[in-house]
């Protein structure tokens, strides 16, 4: 299986920054794996990345498969004030990150945590909190469409771009709006990781 460009760039970024991570060519879900590994010492403050996802979960009943970026951050035993509504705050940090790198584009957030360019959904977050008293774990998954957009599965039915409208959005990708370089992508990941880590640490 060929690794897509965005996954390759992200994998290289993780290795260059020496960030604890696990990479998989194919995986059911990065969030599911993060939940399985939570509270294990080896996976404390870990990042999970995959090239292909078979059971990716979106908001409600929607399922997103095979975005260009499918990645999950796991933070263990440091979150005290983070709760389910915190996803909007982390989405705001995502917005700040893309605006810093691609400031000329018409970015906007759709609550609670979807990132749009004009009327097209480009990225979404999935936040999960696990309790194992006295510890907590915080899981934050990100799906980001960079060079292509995925199909959307709804209630087990595959839907193409032309029939998305019933779900009140269209999927899009960043390359539709601007050229993207590896350097820009790494700058974006640097900014996002910095802002999210700072927010988690400030919440503990």
């Amino acid at each position: 299986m060929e690794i897509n460009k965005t996954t390759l760039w992200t994998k290289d970024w993780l290795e260059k920054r020496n960030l604890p991570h696990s990479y998989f060519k194919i995986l059911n879900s990065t969030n599911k794996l993060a939940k399985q590994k939570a509270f294990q010492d080896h996976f404390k403050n870990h990042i999970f990345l995959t090239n292909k996802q078979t059971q990716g979960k979106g908001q409600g009943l929607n399922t997103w498969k095979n975005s260009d970026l499918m990645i999950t951050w796991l933070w263990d035993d440091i979150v005290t004030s983070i709760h389910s509504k915190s996803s909007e705050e982390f989405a705001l940090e995502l917005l700040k990150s893309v605006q810093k790198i691609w400031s000329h584009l018409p970015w906007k957030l759709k609550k609670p945590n979807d990132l749009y360019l004009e009327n097209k959904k480009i990225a979404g977050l999935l936040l999960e909190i696990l309790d194992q008293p006295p510890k907590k774990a915080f899981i934050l998954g990100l799906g980001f469409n960079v060079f292509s957009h995925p199909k959307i599965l709804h209630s087990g039915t595959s839907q193409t771009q032309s029939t998305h409208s019933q779900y009140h959005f269209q999927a899009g990708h960043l390359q539709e709006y601007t050229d993207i370089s590896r350097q820009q992508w790494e700058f974006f990941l640097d900014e996002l990781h910095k802002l999210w880590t700072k927010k988690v640490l400030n919440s503990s």
Side-chain angles (χ1 to χ4, degrees):
M1 179 188 301
E2 183 178 357
I3 184 170
N4 75 63
K5 185 187 295 186
T6 310
T7 303
L8 177 61
W9 288 356
T10 306
K11 182 174 179 289
D12 289 346
W13 171 79
L14 288 165
E15 292 171 353
K16 285 193 290 186
R17 300 300 186 269
N18 199 28
L19 295 172
H21 69 279
S22 298
Y23 164 71
F24 302 86
K25 289 184 178 179
I26 186 169
L27 190 65
N28 56 6
S29 163
T30 53
N31 267 42
K32 283 185 178 181
L33 182 60
K35 289 169 72 173
Q36 294 170 8
K37 301 301 184 183
F39 307 114
Q40 298 181 24
D41 289 342
H42 181 67
F43 294 96
K44 189 177 181 68
N45 302 335
H46 204 81
I47 298 174
F48 299 89
L49 174 69
T50 187
N51 187 58
K52 183 177 181 180
Q53 192 164 256
T54 60
Q55 298 176 22
K57 182 181 176 183
Q59 292 296 322
L61 297 177
N62 290 339
T63 300
W64 282 71
K65 297 173 65 176
N66 301 332
S67 293
D68 293 296
L69 179 68
M70 294 164 288
I71 189 169
T72 295
W73 277 255
L74 166 65
W75 290 278
D76 267 6
D77 195 24
I78 56 174
V79 267
T80 56
S81 63
I82 291 175
H83 47 81
S84 58
K85 292 185 178 180
S86 297
S87 60
E88 294 184 26
E89 300 172 12
F90 283 89
L92 182 58
E93 304 290 22
L94 172 62
L95 177 63
K96 291 178 183 177
S97 299
V98 294
Q99 287 177 329
K100 183 171 183 178
I101 308 305
W102 299 285
S103 58
H104 62 292
L105 298 181
W107 298 102
K108 62 181 179 180
L109 284 181
K110 183 176 180 180
K111 292 186 177 182
N113 49 25
D114 288 336
L115 181 67
Y116 275 65
L117 275 171
E118 296 180 327
N119 66 332
K120 293 186 179 182
K121 182 175 176 179
I122 303 297
L125 303 181
L126 184 61
L127 180 151
E128 300 183 70
I129 299 169
L130 304 179
D131 278 300
Q132 185 175 293
K135 297 180 178 181
K136 280 189 177 182
F138 171 51
I139 294 168
L140 188 57
L142 171 63
F144 199 117
N145 305 330
V146 183
F147 295 102
S148 64
H149 63 75
K151 291 182 179 180
I152 300 173
L153 301 184
H154 184 81
S155 300
T157 303
S158 178
Q159 302 293 333
T160 63
Q161 176 72 28
S162 62
T163 57
H164 284 175
S165 56
Q166 61 183 304
Y167 305 127
H168 311 296
F169 71 87
Q170 291 182 317
H173 56 85
L174 182 56
Q175 181 69 22
E176 291 181 77
Y177 294 86
T178 189
D179 290 332
I180 310 151
S181 68
R182 178 192 287 259
Q183 185 180 48
Q184 286 176 330
W185 186 248
E186 290 185 352
F187 285 162
F188 158 67
L189 291 174
D190 282 336
E191 185 68 15
L192 182 66
H193 183 69
K194 179 186 72 175
L195 291 177
W196 277 0
T197 301
K198 181 179 179 180
K199 186 162 191 62
V200 170
L201 293 176
N202 288 344
S203 298
S204 60

